Amino acid sequence: MSRMRLLLAAVLVFGVGCAHGPPALSADTLSRLAESPGGYLAGDAKGLEDGPLLNNKDFVWSLAFSPDSSRVAYTHLGSKFYLLGLWKLGTPPELVSDKNVNSYEYDLEAVAFSADSTLLATAGRDGELRLFDAASGEPKGRILTEEPLTAVAFHPSGRYIVVGSVKGLVSVFTVPQLSFAFESRAHAGQVSALVFAQDGTLYSGGWDKHLRVWATREEALRPDQARVIFDRRGGFAVVRGAVNGKAQVSFALDTRAPAILLTTEAATQAGIDVAFLKDTLTVPTPLGNTVAKLAKAQSLRFKSLPMEGVDIAVCDVCVPTGAQGVLGAPFTERFDIAFDESTREAIFTAKAGSAPGAETQGLVLAPQADFNFEGYVNDVTVDAKGQRLGVAFSQDKAERTRAVYEREKKGVEEPKGPFNAGALVEASSGKILKKWSVHGGVVSSASISPDGHSLATGGWDKNLLLFSEGQEQPVAEREFGWSVRRVSFSPDGRWVGVAAWTPQNPIGDQESDPAAALFQVLYASPTVERR
């Protein structure tokens, strides 16, 4: 059993003091913090005190605190599924729920709470954005997007949520409806981080070595055009669209088809009771005509572009392999189709323009600044006043390659370097105010303290490090069993949470090194400030 595991096993409840270093928070400080809604601790961070151990069995991928610092959630890999664990912080913490989210083939990359702490969201490489009740963990909604997802953040208003993809796409959806509102190809590579300042400014980090700043505003959206990602399969361009607001379906574009078509399975997912359909339509196939059941007055949506009053024929043999439906002549009669091969997007434009009164409100992202760095940007966080950012960099792209695993297996230490680092960055200019190049290899995560003067970092060198602005070396460190995936300051500044992988133990109690753990931040002379 590792020294780290022994230490944490001894301090599973709050309030256990350290033998050396600054004292834990006083009762008076905790009382002032509790009496200050939106308040946070400020001062010189001097150390960490081991706190509750939440998971010591699994690969934990991401971790987030609720804005009111009353709950913590993390995504982790079970035997067959990725799960979402939700805990209520107390003495001791209470596990609220631990639910299966998606199959183990698709990493569950990101988790975030809404500003009012009532909703929880996950984003995964299966392309799904999911909403959950933050009090119970019960599902509240989901939408399948066009690309694998790697980042998620709620707008401070609570009316919108933003996700980032492996291909650099940043998309905006309404909350709780999860209706598409806006998108921008923000990065030339994976979106590694999304975070909002309190004033609505969005910061996005990417593997193109850019950190971009976006102003946000609500405006009327014209739902007469949509740009939709397409693939080419079996001689057809294939796009995704929603049917009846219930199912995301892959459609082959075929102007020769006399109808809009769905397979029986896709129709059922869209809420169409195929067995009770009375109307029929004759549809030609390569093997001759077939009679298909017809569902009248259905609806389609391609992002913000609606198509109402649609008749859909249900016919399995009419749909080409690799698709779940066909957009035939009834679709092309109403929409012009163009292809942008550079972005792999099909552009649908309504021939009749927008219907009167069809305009909707949506959140629009407007480029405000673009900061380019020498290292890959792996994580971005923002302080309580929106003045400083915490940024994690690496000199090599943070990809888990076979070469990386072989080096880890052999115990080869990754090199230190100028941009294997965590940094405090001025939000308005992108200027690096302080950079710590202490980790060996990839720095996967960096979380800035609410007061903007401390930084917690985690890396593939197994280390959690805590830095204070006036110090060259970390003021505290903890070693884990394997890679640290995510670190996060709680919004009240009291805790640092860590998500890590742990060497898995398939026998006995299956316990291993810590994978989700909390540490109390120690301050020399803490004060309580308000946002």
Side-chain angles (χ1 to χ4, degrees):
M1 182 181 290
S2 73
R3 177 176 179 271
M4 176 68 176
R5 184 177 164 193
L6 284 169
L7 283 171
L8 285 173
V11 288
L12 294 180
V13 296
F14 298 149
V16 177
C18 291
H20 305 285
L25 295 171
S26 68
D28 177 64
T29 299
L30 290 174
S31 177
R32 284 187 285 118
L33 186 62
E35 294 169 358
S36 303
Y40 58 89
L41 297 170
D44 293 332
K46 294 297 184 181
L48 294 171
E49 182 179 271
D50 297 328
L53 174 62
L54 307 180
N55 184 301
N56 64 343
K57 295 183 178 181
D58 301 322
F59 289 176
V60 178
W61 284 79
S62 189
L63 178 146
F65 289 93
S66 62
D68 62 8
S69 300
S70 69
R71 294 175 184 259
V72 65
Y74 58 81
T75 64
H76 63 113
L77 178 60
S79 59
K80 295 183 179 180
F81 296 93
Y82 275 93
L83 297 92
L84 174 65
L86 175 64
W87 290 73
K88 182 179 179 180
L89 297 182
T91 310
E94 174 189 349
L95 179 62
V96 176
S97 69
D98 198 28
K99 294 186 179 299
N100 294 345
V101 176
N102 60 257
S103 63
Y104 69 90
E105 293 94 344
Y106 301 103
D107 300 341
L108 196 55
E109 291 274 1
V111 60
F113 284 87
S114 61
D116 63 2
S117 300
T118 62
L119 289 175
L120 187 60
T122 63
R125 287 183 179 263
D126 61 353
E128 289 251 17
L129 167 63
R130 296 175 172 89
L131 293 181
F132 302 85
D133 184 280
S136 66
E138 291 301 314
K140 299 287 287 185
R142 59 193 290 183
I143 186 171
L144 179 62
T145 67
E146 294 182 307
E147 299 180 2
L149 301 178
T150 51
V152 63
F154 282 91
H155 185 267
S157 70
R159 296 191 295 272
Y160 302 96
I161 190 168
V162 179
V163 293
S165 83
V166 297
K167 297 181 181 180
L169 186 68
V170 173
S171 303
V172 182
F173 296 88
T174 63
V175 175
Q177 304 88 350
L178 295 182
S179 298
F180 175 84
F182 182 82
E183 69 180 10
S184 175
R185 189 68 61 176
H187 291 274
Q190 178 169 308
V191 178
S192 56
L194 293 168
V195 62
F196 280 100
Q198 197 61 36
D199 65 358
T201 301
L202 176 67
Y203 298 90
S204 66
W207 280 4
D208 54 2
K209 301 184 178 182
H210 285 259
L211 194 165
R212 291 191 165 91
V213 186
W214 307 83
T216 59
R217 64 178 185 273
E218 282 189 301
E219 63 178 43
L221 305 176
R222 292 180 53 205
D224 63 345
Q225 187 178 89
R227 300 178 69 96
V228 184
I229 300 295
F230 74 89
D231 294 323
R232 296 204 183 275
R233 306 175 196 168
F236 296 97
V238 178
V239 300
R240 279 193 175 275
V243 183
N244 295 337
K246 296 181 178 180
Q248 287 283 326
V249 173
S250 57
F251 287 98
L253 294 170
D254 186 358
T255 58
R256 299 167 300 177
I260 294 174
L261 304 163
L262 284 180
T263 63
T264 302
E265 181 181 6
T268 301
Q269 292 174 353
I272 298 171
D273 194 337
V274 178
F276 285 88
L277 295 178
K278 303 301 183 184
D279 296 302
T280 60
L281 179 71
T282 300
V283 182
T285 74
L287 299 178
N289 291 342
T290 187
V291 177
K293 291 189 173 183
L294 189 66
K296 293 190 172 182
Q298 308 298 305
S299 68
L300 303 179
R301 178 174 288 271
F302 299 89
K303 295 186 175 175
S304 60
L305 181 67
M307 185 179 182
E308 304 293 343
V310 182
D311 293 344
I312 296 177
V314 182
C315 177
D316 292 319
V317 298
C318 306
V319 177
T321 302
Q324 299 166 289
V326 174
L327 296 178
F331 183 82
T332 55
E333 288 169 1
R334 294 169 61 174
F335 298 93
D336 289 320
I337 303 173
F339 294 95
D340 186 338
E341 296 289 348
S342 65
T343 60
R344 302 291 292 177
E345 291 174 316
I347 305 167
F348 299 156
T349 305
K351 294 179 179 180
S354 298
E359 290 80 7
T360 59
Q361 287 290 115
L363 188 75
V364 173
L365 309 180
Q368 184 170 297
D370 183 3
F371 308 135
N372 189 202
F373 298 97
E374 294 180 39
Y376 294 95
V377 178
N378 296 322
D379 197 10
V380 181
T381 54
V382 63
D383 68 10
K385 295 182 179 179
Q387 297 175 347
R388 289 182 166 190
L389 307 173
V391 184
F393 294 107
S394 61
Q395 295 189 177
D396 295 324
K397 193 177 292 185
E399 293 180 314
R400 304 295 301 184
T401 63
R402 178 174 292 276
V404 171
Y405 282 109
E406 287 298 322
R407 288 196 296 269
E408 291 178 341
K409 185 177 180 180
K410 295 175 182 178
V412 177
E413 292 187 4
E414 295 289 335
K416 295 182 179 180
F419 271 89
N420 286 331
L424 298 178
V425 175
E426 188 174 60
S428 61
S429 67
K431 177 183 177 182
I432 294 178
L433 302 173
K434 181 66 179 178
K435 178 161 63 72
W436 291 278
S437 303
V438 178
H439 285 277
V442 167
V443 180
S444 53
S445 185
S447 183
I448 195 169
S449 60
D451 71 354
H453 295 292
S454 301
L455 190 73
T457 61
W460 291 3
D461 61 359
K462 307 179 184 180
N463 288 319
L464 159 69
L465 303 179
L466 177 65
F467 297 96
S468 188
E469 186 173 14
Q471 304 294 322
E472 294 299 322
Q473 295 299 316
V475 298
E477 59 185 290
R478 296 291 189 276
E479 184 177 357
F480 284 74
W482 201 359
S483 298
V484 175
R485 306 296 300 181
R486 187 68 59 190
V487 297
S488 179
F489 260 95
S490 62
D492 62 5
R494 185 180 176 188
W495 302 99
V496 167
V498 178
W501 288 357
T502 184
Q504 293 186 309
N505 175 17
I507 60 176
D509 60 10
Q510 299 184 340
E511 292 185 354
S512 183
D513 291 296
L518 305 185
F519 301 86
Q520 185 168 223
V521 183
L522 304 177
Y523 295 87
S525 300
T527 61
V528 176
E529 297 186 5
R530 291 181 180 271
R531 296 178 185 273

